[in-house]
Amino acid sequence: MPTGLNHITLAVSDLQASIDFYAGLLGMNLRAKWDAGAYLECGNLWLCLSLGDDFQRRNPCENDYTHYAFSIKEEEFDHFIARLEQLSIPSWKVNASEGRSHYFLDPDGYKLEVHVGTLASRLEACRKTPYEGMAFYD
């Protein structure tokens, strides 16, 4: 039985640009790098960047809510968003849910989010205003 999320692997078109984005901008720790990839660490999460042959940047206009969300501390949120805006990092959605969130794109068009909050805080908000057809399992 799975015990947690082990790692995420993303195919990338430009390894150095992705390392600069994830390590330089997002502050992940670069742990290893080779010609076709890199391992970065973010808390307990292991992120693998894998240089893809003929990989094409994703179309951020796809009608798909699949994305990768990273936790951020409340006191760091405004500074981080200001930095994204200063660097003209594109957004792909406006937050409409509980907790402060900002949705943005990486250099290959992967949809990312930084979120202040936890599953517990989300469930608490949903108990007050549930989504249509929502059921809770305790």
Side-chain angles (χ1 to χ4, degrees):
M1 169 177 272
T3 59
L5 187 60
N6 184 276
H7 70 277
I8 296 172
T9 298
L10 300 177
V12 299
S13 62
D14 181 329
L15 182 61
Q16 191 57 54
S18 292
I19 290 170
D20 292 346
F21 183 85
Y22 286 95
L25 178 62
L26 298 188
M28 293 184 185
N29 296 319
L30 180 61
R31 299 298 305 267
K33 178 184 172 190
W34 61 100
D35 291 347
Y39 293 140
L40 297 100
E41 186 175 45
C42 178
N44 292 327
L45 178 68
W46 157 25
L47 177 67
C48 175
L49 302 176
S50 179
L51 190 58
D53 292 336
D54 299 324
F55 177 77
Q56 304 225 352
R57 186 180 190 281
R58 300 193 175 292
N59 179 0
C61 298
E62 293 175 22
N63 188 15
D64 179 2
Y65 190 59
T66 301
H67 65 281
Y68 306 100
F70 300 98
S71 297
I72 190 168
K73 295 177 182 176
E74 175 71 42
E75 59 271 16
E76 296 175 4
F77 187 85
D78 290 331
H79 176 73
F80 183 79
I81 302 315
R83 187 168 178 211
L84 291 178
E85 291 171 352
Q86 178 185 22
L87 295 171
S88 300
I89 304 297
S91 295
W92 63 274
K93 179 181 178 352
V94 174
N95 184 36
S97 62
E98 163 277 330
R100 297 181 77 194
S101 287
H102 184 80
Y103 300 85
F104 58 103
L105 300 174
D106 89 340
D108 284 299
Y110 286 106
K111 295 176 180 178
L112 306 176
E113 173 189 5
V114 288
H115 179 75
V116 175
T118 62
L119 176 58
S121 64
R122 175 62 53 87
L123 290 174
E124 181 181 332
C126 287
R127 287 183 192 283
K128 293 176 184 171
T129 310
Y131 305 139
E132 185 176 334
M134 189 171 212
F136 297 92
Y137 302 93
D138 296 322

